[in-house]
Amino acid sequence: MITVFHGSNIEVSKPLVSLGRANLDFGKAFYTTDIKDQAENWSKIIFTRKESGTPIVSVYSLDIESVKKNFRYLRFEEYNQAWLDFVVDNRKGGGSYRSFDIVEGGVANDKVIDTVEAYMDGIISADFALGQLRYHKPNNQIAIINQEIIEQYLNFIRSYSL
C-alpha cells in the first residue's frame, strides 16, 4: 500500500475517471501523486483557476502491488525519449494512454513544459529537449485510467483544507 494525494478545490471521496480532462500528460484519467507537497500545490493552482471552493487535498491508500499484477501498468523512471513521446502524443490527443490502465511518471509541470511545448511545436529537436530535461528531477504523477482500479484498489482516507 502506498499513500497518494489528489489536489483540487473540492473533496474527491469517490473519484471518476470519466470526469478527467482530455489531452493531459498521461491522458484522460484520475491523477494522484505520492508527493504531498505536489498535491497541495495542485490544489492551490486549481482553486486559483476555478475561483471557487477551497484548496483541498484528498488522501487515499492505493494497493499498487495488486494493481501492477492485475492491470496494464506503465512507469517512467525519468524524463527520456519514451516519456517525451508518450506525453506529446497524449497532449496532442493521440490517445496512447489507452493502452494502459495506470501510468506513473514525471509531470510536464511549469519547470519543464516550455521545453515540451517547444519540442511539440518543432522549435527544438528531441535530443535538445532531452538535454534540457536531464537537469530536472521529475515530480511524480499516477494517472488512473481504468475506473475498476479506483473501485477495487483506491481507498479514500480523508481530506484536508489548506
Side-chain angles (χ1 to χ4, degrees), residues 44-72:
K44 292 173 189 173
I45 290 167
I46 291 168
F47 168 71
T48 301
R49 282 186 197 151
K50 303 240 180 189
E51 296 181 350
S52 67
T54 186
I56 294 178
V57 174
S58 297
V59 183
Y60 312 86
S61 64
L62 175 63
D63 185 352
I64 194 70
E65 294 307 318
S66 292
V67 170
K68 287 177 185 179
K69 284 184 216 169
N70 297 307
F71 292 89
R72 299 168 299 166

Side-chain angles (χ1 to χ4, degrees), residues 151-162:
E151 303 300 328
Q152 293 182 20
Y153 300 107
L154 185 74
N155 295 302
F156 178 76
I157 298 171
R158 66 184 179 93
S159 67
Y160 63 91
S161 301
L162 299 180

Side-chain angles (χ1 to χ4, degrees), residues 122-140:
I123 296 169
I124 62 175
S125 69
D127 287 340
F128 188 84
L130 292 169
Q132 294 296 308
L133 293 173
R134 75 170 184 239
Y135 295 109
H136 299 283
K137 180 183 182 291
N139 278 331
N140 190 51

Side-chain angles (χ1 to χ4, degrees), residues 57-98:
V57 174
S58 297
V59 183
Y60 312 86
S61 64
L62 175 63
D63 185 352
I64 194 70
E65 294 307 318
S66 292
V67 170
K68 287 177 185 179
K69 284 184 216 169
N70 297 307
F71 292 89
R72 299 168 299 166
Y73 171 79
L74 175 63
R75 178 177 170 86
F76 295 101
E77 297 289 336
E78 60 187 357
Y79 294 134
N80 58 24
Q81 186 70 54
W83 175 88
L84 185 60
D85 291 343
F86 193 79
V87 168
V88 167
D89 179 69
N90 291 317
R91 284 186 168 252
K92 287 184 173 182
S96 58
Y97 72 95
R98 291 185 185 106

Side-chain angles (χ1 to χ4, degrees), residues 28-43:
K28 188 172 186 170
F30 179 68
Y31 282 79
T32 64
T33 180
D34 58 359
I35 304 170
K36 182 180 176 184
D37 290 344
Q38 184 176 313
E40 290 177 353
N41 288 335
W42 282 346
S43 71

